[in-house]
Amino acid sequence: MNGLSNKHILLGVTGGIAAYKSPDLVRRLREAGADVRVVMSTGAKEFVTPLSFQATSGNPVHTDLLDEDAEAGMGHIELARWADAILIAPASANRIAALAQGFADDLLSTVCLASEAPLFIAPAMNRVMWSNAAVQSNIEKLQLLGATLLGPGSGDQACGETGSGRMLEPTELRDAMIGFLTSSTTAALSGKTVLITAGPTQEALDPVRYISNHSSGKMGFAIAQAAEQAGASVTLIAGPVEQTTPRNVNRLDVISAQDMHAAVMQHVDSADVFIGVAAVADYRASDAQENKIKKSDAEMTLTLARNPDILADVASLANKPFTVGFAAETQYVENYAREKLEKKKLDMIAANLVGKESGGFKSDTNSLFVLNKSGDEKTLTDAPKNEIARQLIELIAKSVS
C-alpha cells in the first residue's frame, strides 16, 4: 500500500489511554508510504515513551517548544512548514479546547497555529465527556476553523463504560488520511451547483407537540462539506438540527416537510446535482391545532395527511438535476433501494441500515449501499461519516463529469 507516498504527516499525541494505539498508527501510516514525525504533549509521555515513537517512525520525537538544537530554537516553524497534514490522535478534551481557543503554550499547539497544513482531529475520551456541551462547542468551533473530525467511534471504553468517544482504530485513521490526502474529488465538482437536504422535519400537532424522527443531520452536513471541498457551490436546506454549517456553504433552515419542499423547488432550477439526504416526514397532521391539545380521554385519534414527496417531485422535473436519493431502512436494504431507485426514477440512491447500535441516525459512522440507474453498485463500508461522504461525492462526481 502506497496511498500516502511522499506525504509528510505530523502526528500529535496527547495525554490519554488511547495513546497506546498511536505507535501502531505511526506504523500503519508508514506502511502507506508516509513520512511521519511525532510531537508529544507532556501528558502523552505519561502513557507512551518517546522511544516508542522514535522506533516506529524512524525520526526523532519532538516534545519541547524551546529546543535550541532545532533550527536555532524555531523548531515549531520548521515542523509547521514540513507537514502536509497534521493529525492529532488521540485528541483529548483538553487539547481540543486549547486548539479551539488558539492557545500556543506548548510545541504541538504552536505548530498547529503556525502551519497552513490541513488539521485532522481524532477525539478520544469518556462518553460523558464527549457529549458535554463545552466539548461539542469546541468541536464545532474547530470545524468552523477548517479542522476535519475523524470519529470518534463507539464501543467499550477503558473506563468500563460503553458509548461514543473511542479513538478510531489505527487502520481506520490511516484509511481516512489516504482518502482525504489522495482524494480524486479535488475540484471534481468545480463549477457545479449542488443542492442538499439534511436532518429531520417536524410536523406540528399543536403549538407544543410535533411528529418527527431521530435524524441528526450529520450525514447531510458531511456531504455538504465534501461537496464544497470538491469545488461545488453548495446550498444546504436543513431541518431542525444542531449542526455546524460547513465553510462556504449556503444554509437555509426549515421546519416542516412543506417548508422544505418549497425551499427545494425555489432553488432546484439552478442545481446541477440534488442530493436528498433529509429524513422527511411522510405524514403531517391533517388539522394541526392552534392551541395545546388538553389531556382528556384515555385514547386520542390523529388523522394524518401525506406530505409532498420532495425527491419524486425533483426527479420528475423536465430539466431535472442529477438526482440522488437516500433510503434509511431497518431491513432488506438493497431490495428497498432498488425499488425506490426505479419507482422514483432517480439517477442514484444511497441506502443505509438504521436502528442499530452503529451507523445511521445520530451515529458518527455510517456505511452505504450505492446504486445508480445503470445498475452499477458499490458498498461503502463502515467509516466516519465525513469519509463516507467523500467517497459518495467521488461517485457522484464521476457520474456528472
Side-chain angles (χ1 to χ4, degrees):
M1 179 183 293
N2 58 0
L4 294 174
S5 180
N6 299 318
K7 296 295 184 182
H8 294 170
I9 297 182
L10 183 68
L11 176 64
V13 183
T14 68
I17 188 59
Y20 83 89
K21 298 180 181 180
S22 298
D24 185 44
L25 173 58
V26 173
R27 183 170 68 88
R28 301 295 183 179
L29 293 172
R30 292 191 69 194
E31 285 177 349
D35 187 4
V36 183
R37 295 188 185 182
V38 178
V39 174
M40 299 181 69
S41 71
T42 300
K45 291 188 288 183
E46 298 295 325
F47 295 90
V48 187
T49 66
L51 184 59
S52 300
F53 290 107
Q54 181 172 318
T56 51
S57 71
N59 286 316
V61 176
H62 307 274
T63 59
D64 298 320
L65 175 59
L66 301 177
D67 184 353
E68 294 181 359
D69 295 328
E71 295 289 327
M74 298 292 284
H76 63 290
I77 300 298
E78 187 271 332
L79 287 170
R81 291 171 177 167
W82 175 85
D84 292 315
I86 299 174
L87 168 62
I88 302 181
S92 65
N94 183 67
R95 181 60 52 173
I96 289 169
L99 291 172
Q101 301 305 317
F103 288 175
D105 56 353
D106 69 356
L107 179 59
L108 181 55
S109 58
T110 305
V111 169
C112 290
L113 287 179
S115 179
E116 295 179 332
L119 176 63
F120 299 85
I121 306 292
M125 65 195 74
N126 167 268
R127 65 173 185 84
V128 179
M129 292 178 68
W130 171 247
S131 63
N132 185 279
V135 173
Q136 290 302 308
S137 176
N138 289 329
I139 286 290
E140 290 181 5
K141 185 169 184 180
L142 280 176
Q143 290 178 305
L144 282 174
L145 293 171
T148 298
L149 188 67
L150 302 180
S154 182
D156 294 337
Q157 299 185 323
C159 60
E161 297 185 12
T162 301
S164 187
R166 285 171 55 96
M167 187 176 91
L168 295 181
E169 295 302 317
T171 52
E172 293 178 301
L173 292 173
R174 176 204 60 199
D175 292 347
M177 295 300 290
I178 291 174
F180 281 106
L181 297 183
T182 64
S183 174
S184 62
T185 63
T186 303
L189 290 177
S190 180
K192 302 292 186 183
T193 299
V194 178
L195 180 63
I196 301 171
T197 63
T201 62
Q202 293 179 356
E203 312 303 321
L205 299 177
D206 62 21
V208 297
R209 302 179 181 91
Y210 57 82
I211 301 171
S212 190
N213 56 63
H214 295 297
S215 175
S216 64
K218 290 181 179 180
M219 192 71 241
F221 276 67
I223 291 172
Q225 182 180 51
E228 189 279 330
Q229 291 172 342
S233 173
V234 180
T235 294
L236 175 63
I237 300 175
V241 295
E242 296 181 1
Q243 300 293 335
T244 301
T245 307
R247 287 187 304 170
N248 301 321
V249 168
N250 176 35
R251 174 176 175 175
L252 304 174
D253 289 310
V254 298
I255 301 296
S256 70
Q258 291 178 303
D259 296 337
M260 185 172 284
H261 182 274
V264 167
M265 292 304 162
Q266 182 181 350
H267 292 84
V268 72
D269 286 345
S270 61
D272 299 298
V273 178
F274 173 73
I275 311 175
V277 192
V280 183
D282 293 323
Y283 295 89
R284 68 182 184 277
S286 296
D287 186 19
Q289 300 298 302
E290 293 184 3
N291 297 307
K292 179 182 176 182
I293 300 170
K294 304 303 292 183
K295 181 170 62 178
S296 55
D297 296 335
E299 295 182 353
M300 181 176 69
T301 300
L302 293 175
T303 302
L304 302 178
R306 280 290 299 271
N307 271 323
D309 191 325
I310 298 172
L311 193 58
D313 286 353
V314 170
S316 65
L317 293 172
N319 297 311
K320 75 179 182 72
F322 185 87
T323 306
V324 182
F326 262 66
E329 305 292 349
T330 58
Q331 59 181 346
Y332 310 126
V333 173
E334 294 187 17
N335 291 340
Y336 285 136
R338 296 180 193 279
E339 180 182 322
K340 188 172 182 178
L341 178 79
E342 182 176 351
K343 180 179 180 181
K344 298 194 177 185
K345 298 180 173 58
L346 307 177
D347 296 296
M348 181 181 289
I349 192 163
N352 66 316
L353 188 67
V354 298
K356 305 299 181 182
E357 291 184 2
S358 63
F361 294 153
K362 297 186 179 180
S363 174
D364 294 306
T365 63
N366 205 2
S367 59
L368 293 176
F369 170 72
V370 184
L371 178 69
N372 66 25
K373 63 182 181 181
S374 300
D376 299 325
E377 61 183 62
K378 186 176 182 62
T379 298
L380 309 181
T381 55
D382 194 55
K385 284 185 174 177
N386 50 14
E387 170 60 13
I388 293 293
R390 184 199 63 77
Q391 294 180 44
L392 179 62
I393 288 297
E394 182 175 347
L395 294 176
I396 293 171
K398 289 178 179 178
S399 297
V400 300
S401 60

